[in-house]
Amino acid sequence: MVELKTPGEIEAMSVTGTFVAEVLGDLAQRAEPGVNLLDLEHRARDMIKHRGAESCYWDYAPSFGKGPFRNVICLAVNDAVLHGLPHDYELRDGDVLTMDMAVSIDGWVADSARTVIVGTPRPGDQGREDVRLVEATERALDEAIAAARPGNRLGDISAAVGDVASRYGYPVNTEFGGHGLGRTMHEEPHVPNAGRPGRGMPLRPGLTLAIEPWFAAGTDRIVYDPDGWTIRSADGSRTAHSEHTIAITEDGPRILTLTS
């Protein structure tokens, strides 16, 4: 069942969203060559504890995961893109790092992800392709959000993501995508990263969604690490992921995961 939120509930979600954006911004500044992923994990834990927030990831145990997730953020490097399990790894110059986090404050959830290039991009065509890949997910997110307005349908959001991927020449995986959220991290509806415009449920004010384009440079197929969580591109190509929590309002889409 899709639950529409009141204006007051959307305001409450925006408080959570601002905090999520602040944490990701802080970690992006700290993600330099030589920094360990576990240092970023513990920084996120400290910020969550200080704010009195609650991680939506801690003890998360979906059917596709291996046991409960015992971290507060997903950190994925290079060919890893989703559900990256923080581990003992020191970032290197030119790494592509994706950070994804969802928390709850006063019972309201927000979810966001961003991908950054650590230090300086790789030299030559490789570095330019890394920058282009990150840019593609950001542009897909922007165009998907622009489509999230009353009078449109869910397929318009999905089609916007798929259209950007097609323009950039990237394949699209539809196994994992965006989702509704509010009181919990995952609510109806599912928001695929490809679709047909004009199809699907009508978009109504009060609908809150996490929209999350993610692309791999060379394939739409994925593989899992032995840790049972980290998802990688099947061909080892690099990946990127951008995500915002948004609310559909009478005036159009409102991004909730921005710093104030």
Side-chain angles (χ1 to χ4, degrees):
M1 182 177 69
V2 174
E3 295 186 1
L4 301 180
K5 312 303 187 297
T6 67
E9 291 169 341
I10 290 171
E11 286 297 328
M13 289 180 66
S14 75
V15 171
T16 310
T18 298
F19 172 69
V20 170
E22 289 171 351
V23 175
L24 292 181
D26 180 274
L27 298 184
Q29 292 294 320
R30 295 171 184 271
E32 298 179 345
V35 170
N36 197 296
L37 293 182
L38 294 178
D39 294 334
L40 299 180
E41 159 73 18
H42 287 290
R43 172 60 178 172
R45 290 189 193 189
D46 289 344
M47 293 184 75
I48 290 170
K49 181 179 180 180
H50 180 75
R51 181 58 178 80
E54 181 178 345
S55 171
C56 296
Y57 290 173
W58 192 268
D59 276 344
Y60 182 51
S63 59
F64 58 80
K66 184 179 180 180
F69 196 84
R70 287 299 178 91
N71 296 90
V72 301
I73 191 167
C74 294
L75 299 172
V77 180
N78 295 333
D79 61 324
V81 64
L82 297 175
H83 311 150
L85 194 67
H87 60 284
D88 184 12
Y89 174 83
E90 289 189 357
L91 292 168
R92 302 170 184 173
D93 203 39
D95 276 347
V96 177
L97 171 67
T98 293
M99 304 171 292
D100 188 356
M101 190 179 80
V103 304
S104 175
I105 296 176
D106 295 329
W108 292 103
V109 172
D111 188 1
S112 186
R114 62 183 292 186
T115 298
V116 298
I117 296 176
V118 177
T120 55
R122 294 183 293 177
D125 290 343
Q126 287 183 322
R128 284 188 286 272
E129 178 55 36
D130 292 343
V131 172
R132 185 173 183 269
L133 181 62
V134 175
E135 175 191 273
T137 64
E138 294 172 344
R139 182 161 298 178
L141 181 57
D142 288 343
E143 295 192 17
I145 292 172
R149 58 184 59 254
N152 282 355
R153 290 181 175 267
L154 193 66
D156 294 307
I157 297 175
S158 298
V161 176
D163 287 349
V164 172
S166 179
R167 294 204 305 267
Y168 277 79
Y170 298 131
V172 177
N173 176 288
T174 56
E175 295 174 67
F176 293 94
H179 49 90
L181 75 172
R183 285 289 188 182
T184 62
M185 180 170 58
H186 288 117
E187 298 179 357
E188 293 296 329
H190 174 61
V191 188
N193 282 329
R196 298 177 64 182
R199 299 295 182 93
M201 63 173 285
L203 302 179
R204 298 168 56 192
L207 181 63
T208 49
L209 302 171
I211 302 175
E212 47 181 313
W214 63 274
F215 306 143
T219 183
D220 61 357
R221 295 184 300 110
I222 57 175
V223 294
Y224 285 80
D225 271 7
D227 64 30
W229 284 100
T230 305
I231 295 177
R232 299 181 183 273
S233 62
D235 64 353
S237 60
R238 289 195 164 189
T239 61
H241 177 197
S242 295
E243 177 183 16
H244 273 310
T245 293
I246 66 122
I248 297 173
T249 75
E250 295 282 2
D251 299 323
R254 177 184 173 187
I255 301 173
L256 304 181
T257 42
L258 294 174
T259 54
S260 57

